[in-house]
Amino acid sequence: MKQLVWLLGIIVLSQISGCASLLTSTGNADDQIDRWLSQEEYGKALALVAELRESPSLATRNLQETQERIDVQIASYEQRVVAEAESAAGSGDWGTAFDLYHDALSRLPESTRLQQGEQQLLRRHAEYVEMLEMDRLIAKGEWMLKELEISRLAEAKKPHSWIGQYSLDRKIGSANELALDLAERGKRALEHRDLTLAQRVLPLASNLSNAIEIAALNARFQEMRKEEELRILNEQKRIAEAQLAEEKVRGERQEKKQRSAIDIDTNGQEQKINTNGPERKKAALLMADFKKACHEKDFARAQRLMSRLEKQGVDDPEFEHLSKELATDVARHVKHLIKIGVIHYSQQQYNEALNVWKQAQILDPKNEQLTARIKRVTRVINNLQNLRTKSGVTE
């Protein structure tokens, strides 16, 4: 009898497997993918696409287009989950925020963005719990101080009351325990140079207990606070001196702008940039602005000024040297912007990638690689927008 049941099970399983194979081989794989996507079962849709890639003979639409369509919907889904979880956490509904990530990761267990979002949520939750615990401990310490004061006042009124003395001693013991807890947190704050937190807990701990270790921590905190105040004063002084130096430089530049733009050749003869006095002065002002833009790495402005100077026919060794340096700096900066855009794109941050690549294109408009990247990310953004629009209509 058991063998008969086992045999029937094998037959049924083979029939089910045959039906599954028949489903995909007859062109219904596309319908199955559409069903998975409508149910937001993106992991299953990706698994089916992977299976189809291994079996190219199975009938289906263009796999690349299908993959891109799935990727677009996944990016939109990830963005929505992260935004809703952030909103829930921001309003204090931590349970809903964690549920959103748990459900999403059950659908997309390999999603790096969702995994990172959940880890960030865990850190925020832990920090929030720690902040509440700290506030509770400080409030308890402040309440204990008032309790001790009231008990001492009562003991002063009845100094020979053993009950009053016993109650006061117990409260002093509790205050010492609480002070040690506060001091431990203050010690960690000092190790991380969090003087704001140390200010909240260490003086309070000193008021609750006269333990030697607490007094030592409080003394260390006072020294660090004095060092920080001195550092701030020195920083303010440095900033003031830098501002004065900058004002001096601006004054010198203004004086140079007011001078005649005349170059002296090696034989001591004067060479005018332009025969016309106003034009000569204008060229000198442009040259000064060009130097400033190069120095401040304002590449777009420097390129515009360089173009204007070239049109005026400026023949100056320093201008040629700065122009070559500018070309090198711009190429390096464009390459850096492209890398930043690639990072944004890989993290589905398409708008950020588009903005960075457009900044690079301003500096290098003939860069074909940039043009192709901008077209690609623009197409993805448009697809996402169309998907959101359709979803809104359906809802």
Side-chain angles (χ1 to χ4, degrees), residues 93-349:
D93 191 357
W94 296 97
T96 297
F98 282 115
D99 288 343
L100 283 167
Y101 277 116
H102 292 164
D103 178 66
L105 285 169
S106 69
R107 301 170 187 274
L108 266 173
E110 302 299 325
S111 171
T112 301
R113 188 174 187 186
L114 292 176
Q115 291 173 359
Q116 292 175 346
E118 186 182 41
Q119 290 301 315
Q120 184 178 5
L121 181 65
L122 286 169
R123 288 193 295 271
R124 286 182 57 191
H125 182 264
E127 292 170 357
Y128 184 69
V129 171
E130 176 64 19
M131 181 191 71
L132 291 179
E133 176 62 21
M134 182 65 67
D135 291 342
R136 183 195 68 81
L137 193 63
I138 292 172
K140 187 176 179 180
E142 293 173 345
W143 173 82
M144 180 61 72
L145 276 180
K146 295 184 182 300
E147 281 287 305
L148 285 173
E149 184 179 0
I150 292 173
S151 296
R152 288 191 176 102
L153 289 174
E155 177 62 18
K157 186 177 180 181
K158 297 179 180 180
H160 301 294
S161 172
W162 68 270
I163 295 178
Q165 184 61 47
Y166 174 75
S167 176
L168 178 60
D169 290 342
R170 290 193 61 184
K171 289 179 180 178
I172 291 174
S174 298
N176 284 328
E177 293 179 2
L178 184 58
L180 290 173
D181 197 356
L182 287 166
E184 180 62 29
R185 293 170 184 268
K187 179 181 178 181
R188 292 199 296 267
L190 292 180
E191 290 172 351
H192 293 88
R193 299 196 67 82
D194 187 352
L195 299 185
T196 301
L197 178 57
Q199 174 65 47
R200 295 182 67 194
V201 296
L202 287 178
L204 179 58
S206 295
N207 292 331
L208 288 169
S209 173
N210 56 2
I212 296 176
E213 56 268 33
I214 295 177
L217 282 173
N218 197 46
R220 180 184 168 195
F221 160 65
Q222 298 299 336
E223 291 178 0
M224 291 179 66
R225 187 173 66 173
K226 290 179 180 178
E227 291 175 359
E228 181 65 13
E229 291 174 352
L230 181 60
R231 186 193 68 78
I232 293 174
L233 288 174
N234 290 335
E235 182 65 15
Q236 292 174 344
K237 182 180 178 181
R238 186 192 65 79
I239 292 173
E241 291 175 349
Q243 289 176 344
L244 289 174
E246 181 63 24
E247 290 177 1
K248 182 179 179 181
V249 170
R250 283 200 298 266
E252 292 175 351
R253 287 175 180 170
Q254 187 64 28
E255 291 179 2
K256 290 181 180 179
K257 289 179 180 181
Q258 294 175 353
R259 295 173 187 169
S260 176
I262 299 176
D263 293 335
I264 308 298
D265 63 5
T266 54
N267 296 322
Q269 295 178 345
E270 295 183 348
Q271 294 180 331
K272 297 182 179 179
I273 297 177
N274 285 297
T275 56
N276 190 301
E279 290 297 325
R280 187 168 63 246
K281 184 175 181 181
K282 182 179 179 181
L285 294 175
L286 286 175
M287 185 64 184
D289 289 340
F290 175 63
K291 292 179 183 178
K292 180 180 179 183
C294 291
H295 176 72
E296 296 177 353
K297 304 299 182 183
D298 189 352
F299 298 126
R301 185 164 180 266
Q303 285 181 329
R304 292 194 299 270
L305 291 169
M306 183 179 69
S307 178
R308 293 173 62 183
L309 286 167
E310 287 174 345
K311 289 179 180 179
Q312 291 194 9
V314 174
D315 184 14
D316 179 72
E318 185 180 12
F319 173 68
E320 293 179 3
H321 175 71
L322 288 174
S323 298
K324 291 179 181 179
E325 282 190 348
L326 177 63
T328 302
D329 291 341
V330 166
R332 187 185 301 113
H333 187 60
V334 168
K335 186 176 180 180
H336 176 65
L337 290 176
I338 291 175
K339 289 182 179 179
I340 293 177
V342 170
I343 294 173
H344 284 307
Y345 188 88
S346 66
Q347 297 177 351
Q348 289 91 41
Q349 298 170 350

